Amino acid sequence: MHAYTVASCYKFVTIHDPDLFKPDILNTMKKYRILGTFILATEGLNAGFSGTAEDMQKMYTFLRADPRLTDLIFKETYTDTMPFERRKVKLRSEIVTLGVPGTEALITKETHLSPEDWNKLLDDPDVLVLDARNHYEVTLGQFRGAVDPKIDTFREFPAYVEKNLLDKKKCTIAMYCTGGIRCEKSTAYFKNLGFENVYQLDGGILNYIDTIPEEESKWDGSCFVFDDRMAI
């Protein structure tokens, strides 16, 4: 059994008072000896944090007690070394920065593909598989045949799309990222531009690695993570 549980989570949900929610989260992190980062915005919550298994369950209970977060899903990995140095709660205009005003994440599952369905889609040579992560993440690992936009930040993603993909609005596009949050925003952005067939890997790479047996996996390499471990 590992010493620490590491969790990531996000949810697009209206939070009218992120400035009031911030001290509650920070105080609870201190109470349960949780380290990591929470990002709050009026569009929702995005977090990565760690603690002992017992303390993490208490943190989950606190978060899910909020009526806006009752169905919050936590993706867990495990380590023997605390992967965060501090505890932080940040207020932002977006919980993941695309930088395109008016892009609201689609609160729907119709664009989500399970890891099993994702594998089937990857076998279709007519599907454009697009990595929505930054280039330094892609260098550690990616799905076979995926396109790397070679961006340094997610904010550069719209410029890549407008320069390279506007003539592909009839194509089927399958996107993936680490945990799913960037694809939620990207899917909404594509839909706003008039793309018709855009899908995303449900739960991102983390869910895929956890679900698909190694002998059936179409993933090559490691997955970059945003803590001191760097990759899993």
Side-chain angles (χ1 to χ4, degrees), residues 95-145:
I95 57 173
V96 59
T97 306
L98 183 66
V100 180
T103 304
E104 297 183 5
L106 300 173
I107 310 302
T108 176
K109 286 292 186 181
E110 66 183 20
T111 63
H112 290 225
L113 294 174
S114 69
E116 293 82 4
D117 287 339
W118 177 263
N119 267 1
K120 295 176 185 176
L121 197 68
L122 294 188
D123 290 332
D124 186 342
D126 295 326
V127 172
L128 172 61
V129 182
L130 186 60
D131 198 317
R133 300 174 301 153
N134 302 329
H135 181 60
Y136 64 87
E137 300 172 68
V138 178
T139 59
L140 293 178
Q142 65 179 148
F143 283 101
R144 298 163 204 164

Side-chain angles (χ1 to χ4, degrees), residues 183-204:
C183 289
E184 299 278 13
K185 268 290 184 80
S186 299
T187 300
Y189 172 69
F190 273 112
K191 293 289 188 180
N192 288 347
L193 289 175
F195 285 78
E196 298 177 1
N197 303 301
V198 183
Y199 300 93
Q200 64 190 87
L201 174 57
D202 189 43

Side-chain angles (χ1 to χ4, degrees), residues 22-228:
K22 174 180 177 177
D24 290 343
I25 293 177
L26 192 56
N27 289 336
T28 304
M29 292 177 76
K30 291 178 180 177
K31 181 178 180 181
Y32 298 131
R33 299 171 292 278
I34 301 295
L35 298 182
T37 300
F38 280 75
I39 298 174
L40 294 174
T42 55
E43 70 173 6
L45 171 149
N46 180 19
F49 54 102
S50 182
T52 65
E54 181 180 356
D55 287 337
M56 290 291 278
Q57 289 301 319
K58 294 174 182 177
M59 191 72 196
Y60 298 165
T61 299
F62 159 75
L63 291 168
R64 286 175 173 153
D66 188 297
R68 298 165 294 194
L69 305 174
T70 53
D71 58 350
L72 196 59
I73 296 172
F74 302 97
K75 299 182 183 71
E76 294 183 338
T77 54
Y78 310 94
T79 179
D80 289 321
T81 305
M82 169 55 74
F84 297 100
E85 296 179 357
R86 294 178 291 276
R87 59 178 63 92
K88 296 177 286 186
V89 181
K90 302 178 179 180
L91 300 179
R92 294 286 187 265
S93 58
E94 299 179 81
I95 57 173
V96 59
T97 306
L98 183 66
V100 180
T103 304
E104 297 183 5
L106 300 173
I107 310 302
T108 176
K109 286 292 186 181
E110 66 183 20
T111 63
H112 290 225
L113 294 174
S114 69
E116 293 82 4
D117 287 339
W118 177 263
N119 267 1
K120 295 176 185 176
L121 197 68
L122 294 188
D123 290 332
D124 186 342
D126 295 326
V127 172
L128 172 61
V129 182
L130 186 60
D131 198 317
R133 300 174 301 153
N134 302 329
H135 181 60
Y136 64 87
E137 300 172 68
V138 178
T139 59
L140 293 178
Q142 65 179 148
F143 283 101
R144 298 163 204 164
V147 174
D148 174 13
K150 294 184 170 60
I151 56 176
D152 292 323
T153 70
F154 187 51
R155 188 184 284 273
E156 297 175 8
F157 189 75
Y160 169 82
V161 172
E162 293 180 21
K163 181 179 179 180
N164 298 280
L165 301 180
L166 291 184
D167 62 341
K168 295 179 172 57
K169 291 185 179 181
K170 300 293 185 180
C171 295
T172 297
I173 295 176
M175 284 186 299
Y176 67 92
C177 57
T178 306
I181 186 170
R182 283 175 281 190
C183 289
E184 299 278 13
K185 268 290 184 80
S186 299
T187 300
Y189 172 69
F190 273 112
K191 293 289 188 180
N192 288 347
L193 289 175
F195 285 78
E196 298 177 1
N197 303 301
V198 183
Y199 300 93
Q200 64 190 87
L201 174 57
D202 189 43
I205 301 163
L206 295 179
N207 184 42
Y208 182 90
I209 292 174
D210 194 45
T211 303
I212 298 296
E214 188 172 352
E215 62 273 13
E216 299 175 17
S217 177
K218 299 180 184 294
W219 173 260
D220 290 327
S222 300
C223 179
F224 182 93
V225 290
F226 295 89
D227 57 56
D228 287 350

Side-chain angles (χ1 to χ4, degrees), residues 9-21:
C9 64
Y10 71 87
K11 185 176 182 182
F12 286 97
V13 61
T14 301
I15 298 178
H16 294 293
D17 55 351
D19 55 327
L20 298 180
F21 197 18

